Amino acid sequence: MSDATQGGSDADVTLTREELFSLCHRVLRRQGFSEPHVEALSDVLVAAEMDGSRSHGLYRLLGFVDTLRHGGVVPDAEPVVEDTAASVVKVDARGGFSPHAFREGLPALVDKARASGIAMLAINHCVHGTALWVEIERLTREGLVAIACNPTQSYMAPFGGREPLLGTNPIAFGWPRPGADPYVFDFATSAIARGDIELYRRQGKAIPPGWGVGRDGAPSQDPGEVLDHGAMLPFGEHKGSALAIMIELIAGPLIGDMLSVESSEHDRGRGGLPYHGELIIAIDPARITGDEAAVHMYRSERLFELVQQQGARLASRRRYEARRRHLAQGVTLSRSLYDDIVDLAS
């Protein structure tokens, strides 16, 4: 432990990147996850924590272990990669968490994108609870434009409805920028990620208006009421709702996997993390514009510069700033969360 604010047992705890990895490894190994899953899950959790995304960082270990204890995930599942078409690769995660399956399918996805210009990776039968931008950044490092999305469980009401039907259905996009951090966004189609509402509940705080409704369909700021009895709401009203439905379709039936409502039915009330599929699309600019690809990619820099000249913020800038800050200073966890995580390793 690199540092702890003085003040007894309630002091917050500051950890380096290496200490975060060590803590994740201890928990996951103690809980029986195989080494490939330990490595893949630790990578995405620490990446989220370093980027300041508390809702997708080490806090997720609590949900991972709870899902495991309720029989909702296979801790030593070995993914099966299938080469199905010139531009398609499928990975059967066999009931395991998705990061290991993504790692297994990544080399074929990159090769196919470079050969054909565009390729897709369909991950089936996976449990998902991590951020998509980690995968997106892995593809932008290969010089590829990337899109990823997945359904979840029935947490969100469609616009105009009042009962949970759609998932929070995140979508992420990445654009490589030579010599600069890639342009990446990753957001839920709900007004806020479910994990953020869970953190509000953990802290005993009311959520902002517009995030959810209670069991009677009326607006609610009680995180427990929204999560356990009501429904989350889409961002942008009908726009977020339509985007969520699109993701239900292209990352569900299109790839032979579940809708969010089917994932909820599969869960049978256990309260585990979502079991479903994930779709990743990779595009190689060099196969579209050939020798002129570098010129056209450079032209995109003008857009980024003009956005920033107006004082607007590019997506992911705060994450990159947090990453650099946390590399230098470490990440501070609340004492209560740290203690809960350490308990899982004992």
Side-chain angles (χ1 to χ4, degrees), residues 157-305:
F159 177 65
R162 53 188 290 176
E163 297 180 1
L165 174 64
L166 306 174
T168 54
N169 298 8
I171 184 168
F173 170 82
W175 182 272
R177 300 177 64 196
D181 294 320
Y183 175 77
V184 176
F185 67 73
D186 176 2
F187 57 78
T189 51
S190 52
I192 193 70
R194 187 172 178 86
D196 285 297
I197 299 182
E198 290 170 345
L199 287 176
Y200 270 78
R201 172 159 62 178
R202 182 179 178 87
Q203 297 162 7
K205 297 166 56 178
I207 60 174
W211 285 9
V213 296
R215 70 193 81 192
D216 58 358
S220 176
Q221 292 182 254
D222 180 343
E225 176 68 16
V226 170
L227 292 175
D228 298 336
H229 306 292
M232 298 173 66
L233 294 175
F235 82 87
E237 300 181 333
H238 63 284
K239 296 176 183 178
S241 185
L243 190 56
I245 291 173
M246 179 196 79
I247 293 167
E248 293 277 346
L249 298 173
I250 66 173
L254 181 66
I255 65 170
D257 221 299
M258 293 184 177
L259 300 166
S260 293
V261 66
E262 294 171 326
S263 180
S264 289
E265 292 166 350
H266 172 83
D267 184 64
R268 298 192 303 275
R270 291 175 296 190
L273 289 167
Y275 176 80
H276 50 63
E278 179 185 351
L279 174 66
I280 303 104
I281 300 171
I283 304 168
D284 186 359
R287 295 291 290 177
I288 301 173
T289 52
D291 293 340
E292 298 296 314
V295 173
H296 292 298
M297 294 299 286
Y298 181 74
R299 287 175 52 239
S300 68
E301 292 302 307
R302 183 186 180 197
L303 176 59
F304 298 134
E305 291 170 4

Side-chain angles (χ1 to χ4, degrees), residues 101-120:
F102 173 80
R103 281 187 171 192
E104 292 298 293
L106 179 62
L109 175 64
V110 171
D111 288 346
K112 287 175 180 287
R114 288 179 173 155
S116 300
I118 184 169
M120 61 173 284

